[in-house]
Amino acid sequence: MLKRKIYDELLMWKQKSNGQTALLIDGARRVGKSYIAELFARQEYKSHIIIDFGNAPQDILDLFVHESSDLDLFFAKLGVFYSTLLHKRESLIVFDEVQQFPRARQLIKYLVADGRYDYLETGSLIRLKKNTENIIIPSEEEHIEMFPMDFEEFLWAMDDEATIPLIRKCFESRIPLGQSLHRKIMNDFRQYVLVGGMPQSVLAYIDGKNFEASDTAKRRILRLYRDDVSKFAAGYEEKVYAVFDGIPAQLSKKEKKYKLSSINKNARYRSYEDSFIWLNEAMVVNACFNSTDPNVGLALSADHATQKCYMADTGLLVTHTFMDRAFTDNELYKAILFDQLDINEGMIMENIVAQMLRRNGHKLYFYSRNDSENRENHMEIDFLITENKKIAPIEVKSGGYRSHSSLDKFRKKFSHKIGASYILYPKDVMVKDGIWHLPLYMAMFL
């Protein structure tokens, strides 16, 4: 059984809501929504019913359409169909993959008002216009996002609950861990980067630390994503495929901004905008926008036409990069495990930082400015976050980097707006030139 942090959030909702709201878990396919919903239902309620709208029989769909006006009869038929006795205030009804049947989601308003039972929904592409048109989104619905397993959850799966509390203590005190301990943690972190945080991949790996089994699981997930594109992006699916397939090549470039000219020299953002939105709404990618005038409100100056497109799970990126070749041809496994990433492969570490920042609640922004006439105005900052009402610039570096000229220029230009500055790299904690140098795995605390 995989331990997930979101379980505690579900417990908090149950206690705080006390039946006054339903909870919708939004997340990418195969991120573990159905598993955690079933586990929560089984462990926290006297009885439960799980309705999988991805595979619900017509009798159940008809029940929602024709019988929902009489809730006494509705619940009676539901209980009989699933052979489950429902108990007032002690039963949970789960609407799994509710985006497949928006009518059920609209009914939440009346089910919550009835007050007999608790309701948990899970969904993918839940915000997509296609899945919300012609229904009224219930105000009684709370939302929570579910992400791939983070580094701590991965270590829990490896029976290690001691490492992260120690890392957190060193982060908060800004003290080094020491060479031997840091080396051990970086080794674990590299395994996490390769395997990723999709539960099926993690389960495949921990059974004998088998990278090939993990890779096979990730290939299945990537194929599922492609199937979803054909199903839910009908009419512009070829453009979604093109953007998705181009992610590894775009991230391998120095600046990593997504250039549509690589797809078609005449391509314009306007014609591909829906494709980027689809991938972002599906939580398959983490979009990172250029904040052209950095301030505490980074979104105020976000240029959505200039973006970097990270994979939401770095393990999937590793497999996606070599999807058309056999596992044995994927040199990234060797390069990451033995700390031999070249400059282009540095995209992997930048992607995992994006994933960790997003998991920690940050929307993703970067800073990019080109000025061929004045090099002092030319700079690229990988990520910008806000801390204590100040901007915190973040650069992701390989172990052997020699300079951070863009960061120096950025700090000088925006000195009155900047708080702490960070470089995330494969080495231990240190402060140099007024910049905090932190191990990559500490991105989870920023």
Side-chain angles (χ1 to χ4, degrees), residues 198-248:
M198 304 304 280
Q200 291 177 343
S201 175
V202 174
L203 287 170
Y205 175 69
I206 60 178
D207 185 17
K209 292 194 174 180
N210 189 329
F211 283 114
E212 185 170 8
S214 164
D215 197 76
T216 299
K218 289 184 289 178
R219 287 170 184 266
R220 286 197 297 267
I221 294 170
L222 289 169
R223 283 192 288 268
L224 177 66
Y225 287 174
R226 297 185 72 85
D227 290 342
D228 282 347
V229 172
S230 63
K231 184 185 301 183
F232 294 105
Y236 58 102
E237 62 267 36
E238 293 303 323
K239 290 183 178 179
V240 179
Y241 288 140
V243 172
F244 182 63
D245 291 340
I247 290 174

